[in-house]
Amino acid sequence: MSNFILYTYQHTCKKAQPAYILKESPFKSVKKRNESGKTSLPFLGEGFYLWEENIEAAIRWGVRHYQNDYAVVEYSDLHIEKDELLDFLDRRNLRYFNELRELFIKKRPESAKWKIGVWIEFFKKLNVTEPGKFPFTYFRADENLPDLEENYRVKEKMNFVDGLNYYTFLSPLFIICLLDKRKIKCKDKLLKK
């Protein structure tokens, strides 16, 4: 079994000069403050976001979040070391994340209400003072859309068999957040849109 994963990823960004986009992308998603002063944090904390093998999701993001004024950069065969990846689709990784959370919830009960992005930001700071405690530079998750009908349609919900309401998704929305774009090792980087 290999110690890395290798997939093609897409990054959506605001449209600009193609040479600039290819040189500088991906672009970092950071926390933002709205008019009322409330801070909004990206899903998996601050970092560089990519869609896993899903150009349709990258295009949908561009239409929705960049008012159709966007570009999509594709990274083929992006190499990710498994020991640098916190994968929210992997039960062992989830167990590690939840056990670490529980340690801090005991010390700080109010942290039980924190969302995933806040925990990741907290653990990134912890790793500075306690190196190796949270050694991840990549985070992987399956996004679910807030509108259930849209989620089922976009992710292509399909029942396993007739007569039972158990189902799966044929087009999940896997996202990767990476902390350091200098870590990107890929076969090709191309402008797709």
Side-chain angles (χ1 to χ4, degrees):
M1 187 179 274
S2 63
N3 292 330
F4 62 91
I5 63 171
L6 199 67
Y7 289 109
T8 295
Y9 291 89
Q10 292 83 25
H11 172 72
T12 309
C13 61
K14 182 139 182 72
K15 193 176 228 169
Q17 291 297 322
Y20 172 78
I21 291 172
L22 281 172
K23 181 177 183 238
E24 299 297 328
S25 68
F27 298 96
K28 192 170 189 177
S29 182
V30 296
K31 60 183 161 191
K32 297 176 183 159
R33 192 173 302 279
N34 64 18
E35 303 84 38
S36 64
K38 187 176 178 183
T39 301
S40 170
L41 191 63
F43 301 151
L44 298 168
E46 292 189 322
F48 303 90
Y49 282 79
L50 308 171
W51 298 101
E52 185 176 290
E53 308 237 350
N54 197 334
I55 196 160
E56 295 84 9
I59 290 169
R60 195 171 33 261
W61 188 267
V63 168
R64 181 173 281 169
H65 295 278
Y66 293 107
Q67 291 71 48
N68 215 23
D69 187 29
Y70 67 95
V72 174
V73 180
E74 186 168 271
Y75 303 82
S76 19
D77 294 343
L78 179 65
H79 181 105
I80 299 172
E81 295 292 331
K82 284 185 180 176
D83 61 351
E84 294 182 24
L85 173 67
L86 177 62
D87 191 346
F88 285 91
L89 306 174
D90 180 300
R91 288 209 177 269
R92 289 179 182 165
N93 282 204
L94 284 171
R95 188 176 315 120
Y96 180 82
F97 181 76
N98 286 324
E99 286 172 0
L100 196 55
R101 280 181 51 238
E102 289 303 317
L103 285 173
F104 288 94
I105 289 171
K106 285 178 186 170
K107 296 176 187 176
R108 202 178 191 181
E110 68 276 10
S111 65
K113 296 178 183 176
W114 290 358
K115 305 301 181 218
I116 291 172
V118 175
W119 277 111
I120 289 173
E121 289 299 315
F122 175 76
F123 290 145
K124 287 192 295 193
K125 290 176 187 162
L126 174 70
N127 201 54
V128 172
T129 58
E130 295 183 46
K133 192 75 156 188
F134 197 69
F136 307 108
T137 53
Y138 295 88
F139 307 98
R140 181 176 184 240
D142 181 11
E143 178 192 4
N144 284 289
L145 305 173
D147 179 301
L148 208 51
E149 281 186 38
E150 181 185 15
N151 193 58
Y152 289 164
R153 181 180 46 74
V154 167
K155 294 179 74 169
E156 297 179 29
K157 175 188 170 190
M158 181 175 273
N159 285 25
F160 288 109
V161 295
D162 287 332
L164 293 175
N165 205 18
Y166 294 93
Y167 60 89
T168 192
F169 295 111
L170 300 180
S171 185
L173 295 173
F174 297 152
I175 55 173
I176 287 271
C177 173
L178 68 135
L179 301 182
D180 184 354
K181 70 180 179 179
R182 295 172 300 183
K183 288 231 171 228
I184 291 177
K185 293 184 281 184
C186 63
K187 182 176 152 191
D188 286 312
K189 180 179 179 181
L190 304 167
L191 198 56
K192 296 301 275 192
K193 167 131 181 39

